[in-house]
DNA sequence: CGAACGAGTCAACAGGGTGTCGAGTTACGC
DNA sequence: GCGTAACTCGACACCCTGTTGACTCGTTCG
């Protein structure tokens, strides 16, 4: 747990930010109980490595953090809220990675897309357990669905803008609405990466994920309608 | 419920087929209780139209079918088993639709793929509630995951074979392993269609689903690696 | 006919999970 | 040294799942 606490410096202090109306965490601000909150998050991350979300109870999280179940509810309103907090961190990481790619120097397009896909893939691959758990939580929690929808919406808007820019400068031919293309391709990324991490059903091997996705993105964006 | 019973003629009689080892249904064969089994299935389908799977309890299904909860367990071992039975039907429908497409006369490739995508899309669109519920159940039930994995595997194998055939006859250029391409594109279909049916997150409008997917499939399979 | 049997039925139970309430117990500012 | 707010948890109220054992039938067959 202390290993988590040290890494956790970068954990967004969301619950402390200005106005937390119906926010995830509970307590208004600083006190010694921060340790407990961190311990809960660390326990969640640890337990998710060994078993699926559905097999982890609030009691497991509480005991793992050295507190009783009612006390858990002092820190988080539900099990999902813990996951949401953990997820925010990964999403922030993914966004940062994307920023690094889409920013500044636009090298050749192929390389740009390749880096973006790799950044996306790497971020989620290094948080395999969390990524798989999120997919499970999404099925049952409207809150999780909402957060994910927001995240995807940002990516889609970004891709849409890039595709339109490429079309404007004549590098990419016309075709379906750029946004629809972006949605479909982003959806593909999500499902393919999840499949390769979760291991159920037919999956692309980890090393082949980016090459295959890249090929499909490039031909979809830059390829002419084939006869 | 009688409206279901009439449509249910096509419901695969899986539980009666030759050897049902660890099968879904329970009773060995025919008796008056068939009505009850059908009533449970009908109730499930009806309730899924109005609320998500997680908000439907075994008790709801039992009462909806006019029986007590313990009696429900006489017919199905769990709530998931009901969904699995319902799902088998839809999958059989989708497979039949695919058979109709991939069979016999291979017209021009574009039209072939277009029909296949449309068949896939139509099948799931006409069972919207069930499709969305399946996605929810998949998160929690290994059994549901297994069934879906099998279904997808069949589609992937089919697509892989077609892509390889197109490459062999010189109609499609080389590229990533045909199977990887098939997995990625099939995954895209799954996620895009689900997204357009479930309504959370950015989605492609129902009428645009097939055109967009088709464009991506065609450029991925037939397009040369763009510069 | 009537005993035996198997299908079908359910009240009651055992067990596990969630979320809440209210009565404690610190710890720290004043 | 005392109030107040952070913090803690035993006990409770619920809801859900899955099982057990006894009960009611209709059928079958000696």
């Amino acid at each position: 747990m202390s290993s988590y606490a040290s890494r956790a410096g970068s954990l967004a202090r969301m619950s402390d930010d200005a106005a937390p109306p119906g926010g995830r965490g509970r307590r208004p601000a600083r006190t010694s109980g921060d340790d407990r909150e961190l311990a809960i998050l660390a326990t969640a991350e640890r337990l998710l490595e060994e078993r699926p979300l559905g097999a982890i109870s609030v009691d497991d999280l509480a005991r793992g953090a050295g507190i009783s179940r009612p006390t858990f509810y002092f820190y988080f309103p539900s099990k999902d809220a813990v996951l949401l907090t953990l997820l925010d961190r990964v999403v922030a990481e993914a966004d940062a990675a994307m920023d690094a790619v889409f920013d500044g120097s636009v090298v050749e397009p192929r390389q740009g897309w390749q880096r973006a896909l790799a950044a996306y893939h790497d971020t989620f691959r290094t948080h395999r357990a969390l990524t798989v758990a999120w997919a499970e939580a999404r099925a049952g929690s409207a809150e999780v669905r909402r957060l994910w929808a927001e995240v995807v919406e940002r990516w889609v808007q970004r891709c849409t803008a890039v595709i339109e820019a490429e079309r404007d400068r004549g590098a990419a031919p016309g075709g379906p609405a750029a946004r629809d293309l972006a949605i479909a391709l982003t959806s593909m990324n999500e499902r393919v990466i999840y499949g390769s991490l979760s291991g159920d059903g037919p999956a692309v091997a980890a090393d082949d994920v980016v090459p295959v996705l890249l090929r499909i993105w490039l031909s979809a964006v830059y390829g002419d309608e084939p006869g």
Side-chain angles (χ1 to χ4, degrees), chain A:
Chain A
M1 54 184 92
S2 59
S3 78
Y4 174 89
S6 59
R7 272 183 296 139
S10 64
L11 205 171
R13 299 276 64 231
M14 41 171 9
S15 25
D16 295 351
D17 284 1
R24 235 94 78 209
R26 269 193 185 178
R27 290 157 315 95
R30 80 284 111 192
T31 358
S32 75
D34 273 349
D35 306 346
R36 300 287 160 82
E37 184 167 337
L38 255 11
I40 292 172
L41 292 168
T43 302
E45 216 162 13
R46 179 168 51 78
L47 292 182
L48 282 174
E49 300 284 346
E50 45 192 59
R51 55 181 193 268
L53 182 64
I56 298 174
S57 69
V58 169
D59 201 56
D60 293 331
L61 294 177
R63 293 194 177 285
I67 56 178
S68 73
R69 207 167 51 79
T71 300
F72 167 93
Y73 288 104
F74 180 79
Y75 292 100
F76 292 95
S78 71
K79 193 171 68 173
D80 286 337
V82 176
L83 205 64
L84 240 15
T85 300
L86 249 16
L87 226 39
D88 273 326
R89 187 164 54 132
V90 176
V91 164
E93 212 177 289
D95 279 348
M98 281 298 190
D99 279 338
V101 165
F102 276 93
D103 258 10
S105 61
V106 173
V107 282
E108 66 168 317
R110 183 197 164 85
Q111 205 176 45
W113 291 109
Q114 200 270 341
R115 282 184 190 162
L117 288 169
Y120 190 22
H121 184 228
D122 284 350
T123 303
F124 288 98
R125 196 163 40 127
T126 58
H127 298 283
R128 198 195 128 274
L130 219 49
T131 303
V132 174
W134 134 69
E136 191 179 335
R138 204 174 42 155
S141 157
E143 191 70 3
V144 175
R145 274 195 296 277
R146 205 188 44 68
L147 171 63
W148 188 245
E150 278 173 16
V151 170
V152 173
E153 177 61 33
R154 281 205 301 276
W155 288 335
V156 165
Q157 279 177 14
R158 229 162 180 170
C159 291
T160 304
V162 174
I163 292 170
E164 279 168 351
E166 290 293 81
R167 285 180 177 177
D168 284 349
R169 77 178 178 93
R179 182 177 164 85
D180 283 345
L181 212 50
I183 292 172
L185 293 169
T186 300
S187 298
M188 173 178 69
N189 289 1
E190 178 185 321
R191 188 66 186 85
V192 168
I193 291 175
Y194 170 78
S196 117
L197 293 178
S198 75
D200 34 61
V204 176
D207 289 344
D208 297 329
V209 167
V210 172
V212 170
L213 292 181
L214 179 61
R215 168 62 190 266
I216 297 173
W217 274 75
L218 290 178
S219 52
V221 173
Y222 298 101
D224 280 304
E225 172 86 2

